[in-house]
Amino acid sequence: MRVRILGTAAGGGVPQWNCACPGCAAARADPRLRRRHASIAVDDGTGRRYVVNATPDIGEQIEAYPELAPGPGRRETPLAGVILTDAELDHTLGLWRLREAAGLNVIATTTVHRALDGGPHLGQVLGPYAGITRTELPAGEPIVLGDGRLEVRAVPVSAKRPRYAAALDLGEDGWVAALRLTDRRDGTTLVYAPALAAWPPALDEALVGAGAVVLDGTFWDDEEPLRAGFSRKTATGMGHLPITGPDGTADRLAALPAARRLYTHLNNSNPLVLPCDDGHRELARRGIEIAQEGAVIEL
Ligand code: MLT
Ligand code: MN
Ligand code: ZN
């Protein structure tokens, strides 16, 4: 299995257009510190590729990597579809940027499909441009994509809904999933979970046999959003288990046998956006990496 990291930032990116925090200011001064919104691209084994989450940066993300470039036909693209972990705007706004598609396969839970139609009217707005095919991603049951080599299993990890969906009558299930991606030829598996509000037993089951785990690293600690002053909620209150502290995920991530253990979806308030931050050394000592844009994970 071959996975390309297309971006590593939480909503807003780094720098965020209206933010002068230390992380955003540093990224404005040094382009090497910029981070596009979190996303990955995975090969289905036939040369076709799925992106996981369609970020506001998707156009530039596709342009940045040769394996996503169009051709050889004038309107041929290796992009076979978009798999969604949730319906948040930072993971879905890019769908509208793909309006030139001849057809767009969107793979998501029923709840996410309904939220995108009920809130930002995806089908109504994008449908007339790029015919949308909706593929259902059932909770817990794997589906197979492409010619049968890429298996995707959605593991529900929380009922946190996007703000636009607060009043939609869609129940509590299917809002946020971790994805277990497996190459069925050799069993290699990567788990991608950029939004993790809880660590349910089903996630532990999904992590068995995973060679790489890419987890929600939005916030360093639970108080970070309060300290940074952009929210009155804690990290957990915002649907993101922090890296450190009593609810922190670092201990569990470090204990996993996976060869690669990484954090992604970093908020611009996270001190890890600064390369000099001590947190990098602390995590590296425990075998944990911070995902780098453009990196390829080969399993
Ligand atoms: C999140 O990850 O919690 C959401 O993307 C927040 C947001 O962008 O509104
Ligand atoms: Mn987000
Ligand atoms: Zn900032």
Side-chain angles (χ1 to χ4, degrees), residues 4 120 124 138 162 170 208 262 267:
R4 173 83 80 172
Q124 194 183 332
L170 291 174
V208 173
L262 307 96
N267 198 57

Side-chain angles (χ1 to χ4, degrees), residues 46-81:
T46 71
R48 306 269 289 155
R49 284 168 180 90
Y50 291 85
V51 298
V52 178
N53 295 330
T55 85
D57 301 317
I58 194 165
E60 291 75 24
Q61 287 172 322
I62 289 172
E63 284 300 313
Y65 304 106
E67 74 269 20
L68 295 172
R74 195 171 276 206
R75 282 290 168 94
E76 244 183 292
T77 167
L79 187 65

Side-chain angles (χ1 to χ4, degrees), residues 81-299:
V82 178
I83 312 172
L84 300 175
T85 57
D86 54 71
E88 292 288 350
L89 292 177
D90 58 335
H91 290 161
T92 58
L93 281 174
L95 293 170
W96 283 267
R97 274 196 84 178
L98 300 177
R99 77 176 175 96
E100 297 84 1
L104 195 57
N105 186 12
V106 180
I107 302 145
T109 63
T110 304
T111 303
V112 166
H113 283 302
R114 289 190 181 148
L116 288 171
D117 282 331
H121 299 288
L122 179 72
Q124 194 183 332
V125 176
L126 191 62
Y129 296 87
I132 301 172
T133 303
R134 292 178 183 78
T135 301
E136 302 298 327
L137 193 51
E141 293 291 317
I143 62 164
V144 171
L145 298 173
D147 72 351
R149 298 188 206 180
L150 180 62
E151 180 182 289
V152 184
R153 194 201 319 165
V155 180
V157 288
S158 87
K160 188 217 168 190
R161 9 172 118 202
R163 277 189 253 174
Y164 70 75
L168 296 178
D169 184 16
L170 291 174
E172 296 300 304
D173 297 332
W175 285 101
V176 185
L179 298 180
R180 185 178 205 273
L181 305 164
T182 302
D183 184 331
R184 295 187 352 141
R185 289 173 300 180
D186 54 13
T188 50
T189 294
L190 177 141
V191 172
Y192 187 63
L196 203 56
W199 192 303
L203 181 59
D204 278 320
E205 281 161 40
L207 290 166
V208 173
V213 181
V214 186
L215 275 200
D216 183 344
T218 311
F219 299 115
W220 177 254
D221 65 70
D222 208 28
E223 307 290 312
E224 182 184 315
L226 308 171
R227 241 186 358 260
F230 64 87
S231 177
R232 270 182 257 157
K233 290 183 181 167
T234 60
T236 14
M238 292 179 72
H240 296 284
L241 291 178
I243 294 173
T244 60
D247 286 323
T249 54
D251 290 344
R252 295 173 103 150
L253 185 56
L256 295 175
R260 304 286 304 271
R261 287 158 285 165
L262 307 96
Y263 279 118
T264 190
H265 195 270
L266 273 67
N267 198 57
N268 45 53
S269 56
N270 188 327
L272 292 171
V273 301
L274 298 168
C276 56
D277 186 72
D278 286 343
H280 289 277
R281 275 187 297 281
E282 199 175 310
L283 293 175
R285 266 201 310 274
R286 314 185 69 187
I288 298 173
E289 308 166 59
I290 304 304
Q292 289 305 324
E293 195 167 306
V296 172
I297 299 177
E298 293 260 16
L299 295 172

